[in-house]
Amino acid sequence: MIIPVSMEEMWDTTKVLLTQLTHFKRRNRIKRYGLPIILICIIFLIKHFSHGLLGDNSAFLLVSFIVAASSWYGGLGPGIFATFLSAILTYFVFLQVDAKTHPFIGDITVIVIFIFEGLMISIASEARHQVEDQKDEFIAFIAHELKNPLAAIKGFSGLILKIAERNQFDRIEHYSQRISTQSDKILELINDLLDITRIEIGKFSYVHTFFPMQDIVSEVVLHQRIIAQNRTIELRGKSKSLLYGDKYRIGQVITNLLTNALKYSPETKKIIVRMTENKKAVFVSVQDYGLGITSKEQRKIFDRYYRARSIEKGKSEGVGIGLFISQQIIHHHKGSIWVKSTEGKGSTFYFMLPVAKS
Ligand code: ADP
């Protein structure tokens, strides 16, 4: 009996297969390096037994397939391994068949080009593997970060119920406050998650208006002073310049720098926010006297999902995307963002935005 397979079913199966293929995981070493060897043997046998069927030029097509499949499956190491195995096979087995038509120098040139191409494919696949690994780590971390405040909210609301039953209304305010703080943490995480997804799919939107930089900086500082009442946040300098851009997004950058400064410095130390300007640009900096960042890590902290090693994972909240999002926003406004830091002494984050031509 012939089972009718509709186009729709076929498309669904294809989608499942493609999804499985793209969600590869780093396999163990035997499988990663075993694949190129098995493929080389298969292609050698195909070429050997069907020489008439597959033309001489098919050799490069077939070995290119080995390199692409091996690096896709295993990453950089297996990709390079497959490239060299394929180059040896092609030079000593396939090209020698046509020794008369392929002069020696020509063969070497072709092999060198092939090795170069193989290395490029392997490097690109490795980069993809790394992004996938970081993404998995990020999702696991987000799930963990969401779990803690949710558990706290559940606990506090249970307490409120019990207290209400006993008519102890004075304690309700205290626990409601803690529920609100924990809910803010969840909201912050979800907003970060939404922003990074929007950036990745190219839908991170901006609403441009003219606005004074002074207003945004003062607003954010005031807001953070209310949230972190036990901390000292100094605001120095003034700016009269008008900027043209998304004031909400610029506020998001200042908030991120300020919350980082609060997060990564002890409660006893103050934070200083400075504003300066010249005819062309406005400069804002946020200085803390906290952990600081090693010079090696300073180059990476603006990368997506990156968290410095000195930050004990799980000890302080954060998922490593705030600075990445901030950098995207500043670059969109044709500005720049950078950091100066000394490990153990503190950090100063700076950003510069061009003044609007009015
Ligand atoms: P996170 O949510 O982890 O804070 P960010 O992208 O905002 O993500 O920051 C990336 C990393 O840069 C942080 O995990 C931390 O290691 C480091 N970092 C950022 N700001 C500071 C700071 N003021 N002091 C020390 N380290 C910082």
Side-chain angles (χ1 to χ4, degrees):
M1 198 180 80
I2 299 165
I3 304 164
V5 181
S6 70
M7 281 301 282
E8 214 170 305
E9 276 174 47
M10 265 171 63
W11 175 232
D12 282 347
T13 319
T14 318
K15 270 197 295 193
V16 171
L17 280 174
L18 284 176
T19 314
Q20 278 173 357
L21 212 75
T22 48
H23 284 81
F24 50 78
K25 281 271 145 287
R26 202 173 273 276
R27 275 89 180 181
N28 68 42
R29 201 167 281 176
I30 296 175
K31 285 185 188 169
R32 287 165 64 215
Y33 286 91
L35 182 77
I37 297 176
I38 292 171
L39 288 178
I40 288 276
C41 294
I42 294 174
I43 283 177
F44 175 75
L45 291 176
I46 294 177
K47 268 302 275 184
H48 189 71
F49 290 112
S50 57
H51 190 66
L53 194 70
L54 301 164
D56 286 339
N57 291 337
S58 63
F60 273 109
L61 216 63
L62 293 174
V63 286
S64 299
F65 167 74
I66 300 180
V67 174
S70 306
S71 57
W72 175 268
Y73 183 82
L76 187 64
I80 294 176
F81 181 54
T83 305
F84 284 104
L85 279 186
S86 303
I88 291 168
L89 183 81
T90 313
Y91 186 73
F92 287 106
V93 182
F94 298 150
L95 288 184
Q96 293 305 306
V97 174
D98 281 312
K100 283 180 211 137
T101 51
H102 290 269
F104 178 72
I105 298 294
D107 285 355
I108 296 287
T109 315
V110 167
I111 293 292
V112 168
I113 294 173
F114 173 77
I115 291 177
F116 180 72
E117 178 196 312
L119 291 180
M120 289 297 111
I121 296 175
S122 309
I123 291 168
S125 295
E126 180 63 21
R128 205 190 134 81
H129 272 278
Q130 279 180 6
V131 171
E132 288 290 324
D133 286 352
Q134 279 177 332
K135 212 171 200 171
D136 288 349
E137 226 177 80
F138 172 70
I139 290 169
F141 197 64
I142 284 264
H144 180 259
E145 290 286 296
L146 283 172
K147 217 175 93 189
N148 289 344
L150 267 179
I153 288 177
K154 199 167 156 14
F156 290 135
S157 43
L159 278 174
I160 288 182
L161 278 177
K162 275 191 196 148
I163 289 165
E165 276 166 19
R166 291 184 210 142
N167 292 335
Q168 294 172 306
F169 296 110
D170 52 325
R171 287 170 67 191
I172 288 185
E173 192 190 339
H174 171 72
Y175 289 120
S176 303
Q177 188 57 50
R178 300 188 73 165
I179 287 184
S180 167
T181 313
Q182 299 295 332
S183 309
D184 282 346
K185 282 185 186 169
I186 296 182
L187 261 181
E188 203 181 300
L189 269 172
I190 291 176
N191 281 333
D192 277 355
L193 209 60
L194 281 175
D195 281 349
I196 194 109
T197 314
R198 284 190 194 117
I199 289 174
E200 276 176 0
I201 61 170
K203 295 244 162 92
F204 194 65
S205 57
Y206 294 91
V207 181
H208 286 248
T209 52
F210 286 96
F211 65 92
M213 189 64 180
Q214 169 96 33
D215 289 6
I216 305 297
V217 177
S218 313
E219 223 172 81
V220 173
V221 168
L222 198 73
H223 187 68
Q224 289 302 320
R225 276 182 185 151
I226 295 170
I227 296 176
Q229 284 181 6
N230 53 339
R231 303 294 300 265
T232 309
I233 306 173
E234 277 180 24
L235 176 57
R236 297 185 189 168
K238 279 201 167 101
S239 156
K240 288 178 197 149
S241 304
L242 269 191
L243 300 192
Y244 182 67
D246 189 324
K247 60 177 181 184
Y248 167 76
R249 297 285 184 210
I250 303 293
Q252 205 176 332
V253 174
I254 307 164
T255 305
N256 182 41
L257 298 184
L258 206 44
T259 47
N260 276 352
L262 292 165
K263 231 172 14 179
Y264 302 119
S265 66
E267 290 195 354
T268 47
K269 307 278 184 183
K270 67 178 172 188
I271 314 284
I272 307 168
V273 180
R274 291 187 181 85
M275 237 184 312
T276 53
E277 64 185 348
N278 59 30
K279 276 184 191 159
K280 289 188 175 164
V282 179
F283 298 83
V284 178
S285 69
V286 180
Q287 182 175 13
D288 68 61
Y289 298 92
L291 292 171
I293 309 158
T294 62
S295 44
K296 203 174 155 201
E297 286 177 318
Q298 284 175 32
R299 270 176 265 136
K300 298 185 189 161
I301 52 171
F302 292 97
D303 291 351
R304 136 185 27 194
Y305 312 131
Y306 186 80
R307 301 198 78 214
R309 293 278 159 255
S310 52
I311 309 296
E312 270 186 63
K313 295 202 168 142
K315 251 198 173 176
S316 83
E317 303 122 21
V319 285
I321 53 176
L323 287 178
F324 172 73
I325 295 172
S326 301
Q327 191 185 45
Q328 296 283 317
I329 296 172
I330 296 296
H331 285 175
H332 174 86
H333 289 84
K334 309 215 167 6
S336 49
I337 181 164
W338 67 99
V339 61
K340 282 186 188 160
S341 181
T342 312
E343 203 185 356
K345 290 199 170 156
S347 318
T348 309
F349 281 82
Y350 301 83
F351 70 84
M352 177 280 287
L353 286 172
V355 168
K357 287 185 195 112
S358 46

